[in-house]
Amino acid sequence: MSRKYYTIQIIPENPYGTKKYRISSKQFILFNVGLVIVAIILVLFIVHIAKINKTLANYEKMRVHNAQLVKQNANYEELFSRLDSLWIMENRIQNIFETFLENDSNKINSIIERNRFAHVPSQKNSIDFEGIHNWLTTDEKIRMERIPNVIPAVGIISKKFSYENKHLGIDISARKGNPVFASGSGKVTFAGNSGDLGNTVVIDHQNGYKSSYSHLKTIRTRRGANVTKGDVIGYIGETGNTSGPHLHYSVTKNNIPQDPETIFTY
């Protein structure tokens, strides 16, 4: 069977110099197949370039959005820092006036009346009122200061005291880094890592009561230190065995676990 051939003729404007090329049918088919392959590759390349351009455009949008989020987060951090300062100031005021901020005018007037003559002159006079007008003697004030009846952190009680569940304390969920306050005056008998309880502070109130503050991010006191009710002794954290930032707070009286919520008055 004779092979089929094709002739390709190139004729310039000048009638001279005409060129002819003779190719077989097989070469012609291969040439066409090559053109198709080149066309497919070109289309795929164009599609790929389009995808890359789209990704780059999305990346630019994401970069701008991320910059906005970073700026917004910085603003939030500043606001949270201001709130922390306000919380610390509020708790200090609460401990100074021995109460939470009240809207009850009768209670406010009672506080003002009780502190009307509380000014301390430069030269102190030793006066013992012996309970006149319901004023507390020095010994009674010291006794009250040693009772762990102040909530040690600003937050939400997320887990209550329960003998059945062997949870001999309460969990106070709060923002990581929030201050933790001494619930009563006393002496620090432990300040360090306590295994599953993480960073822990234990205060002996020297009246049978002991209070414990666990999962602290950092500790701001030391063993042997004397602390006053309302002092910052650490910060909310999630050290030890815990699923999130919170304070595990427990109280014992004569080594018997107590429900802290039954002791809180402030």
Side-chain angles (χ1 to χ4, degrees):
M1 184 176 179
S2 60
R3 184 178 295 179
K4 188 184 284 187
Y5 289 90
Y6 295 90
T7 299
I8 300 174
Q9 187 174 3
I10 301 175
I11 303 174
E13 293 181 1
N14 187 338
Y16 302 102
T18 300
K19 294 182 180 181
K20 294 182 179 180
Y21 298 94
R22 186 168 177 265
I23 59 174
S24 65
S25 59
K26 184 176 181 181
Q27 290 174 327
F28 184 73
I29 292 171
L30 290 175
F31 177 74
N32 288 335
V33 170
L35 285 177
V36 171
I37 292 174
V38 170
I40 292 172
I41 291 173
L42 184 61
V43 170
L44 292 175
F45 178 75
I46 292 172
V47 171
H48 184 64
I49 290 297
K51 288 182 178 180
I52 291 175
N53 289 335
K54 185 177 180 181
T55 301
L56 289 175
N58 290 335
Y59 171 78
E60 181 63 21
K61 290 180 181 178
M62 291 174 63
R63 188 186 67 79
V64 172
H65 184 61
N66 186 59
Q68 292 173 346
L69 289 176
V70 170
K71 185 177 180 180
Q72 192 174 23
N73 184 65
N75 292 335
Y76 286 149
E77 287 295 330
E78 183 179 355
L79 289 174
F80 284 136
S81 178
R82 291 180 181 178
L83 285 174
D84 286 345
S85 299
L86 290 174
W87 284 334
I88 293 174
M89 185 181 297
E90 179 186 348
N91 277 271
R92 278 295 188 184
I93 292 171
Q94 291 165 5
N95 288 315
I96 290 171
F97 286 98
E98 301 177 357
T99 182
F100 281 111
L101 298 179
E102 288 286 344
N103 293 321
D104 187 341
S105 59
N106 291 329
K107 193 164 186 177
I108 293 173
N109 290 332
S110 174
I111 295 170
I112 294 172
E113 184 68 26
R114 187 174 59 181
N115 290 276
R116 179 177 294 176
F117 301 105
H119 171 69
V120 179
S122 57
Q123 293 183 345
K124 296 182 180 179
N125 297 317
S126 179
I127 300 175
D128 186 359
F129 292 99
E130 296 295 342
I132 299 176
H133 301 301
N134 294 321
W135 290 357
L136 298 176
T137 65
T138 300
D139 289 342
E140 287 174 330
K141 286 182 178 180
I142 293 173
R143 182 181 64 82
M144 290 298 297
E145 284 295 307
R146 293 188 182 281
I147 297 176
N149 55 354
V150 172
I151 297 174
V154 177
I156 298 172
I157 297 178
S158 55
K159 193 171 183 180
K160 293 183 174 291
F161 179 94
S162 173
Y163 272 112
E164 293 77 10
N165 297 326
K166 297 181 180 179
H167 190 254
L168 305 180
I170 61 172
D171 289 346
I172 302 176
S173 294
R175 185 170 176 269
K176 189 174 182 179
N178 276 7
V180 175
F181 306 95
S183 59
S185 301
K187 186 173 184 178
V188 176
T189 58
F190 180 83
N193 187 277
S194 185
D196 286 348
L197 291 175
N199 292 333
T200 298
V201 171
V202 178
I203 299 175
D204 184 350
H205 300 285
Q206 300 170 330
N207 55 2
Y209 282 107
K210 291 182 182 179
S211 57
S212 176
Y213 314 75
S214 299
H215 302 306
L216 301 176
K217 177 183 177 183
T218 52
I219 294 173
R220 198 181 170 184
T221 186
R222 57 181 176 78
R223 181 180 177 185
N226 291 314
V227 294
T228 301
K229 180 184 289 186
D231 283 350
V232 176
I233 58 173
Y235 299 94
I236 296 291
E238 49 186 333
T239 56
N241 186 12
T242 176
S243 58
H246 72 278
L247 172 70
H248 178 74
Y249 174 71
S250 61
V251 176
T252 61
K253 186 175 184 181
N254 300 324
N255 296 321
I256 299 174
Q258 307 289 313
D259 183 352
E261 289 191 84
T262 63
I263 305 172
F264 290 149
T265 56
Y266 305 120

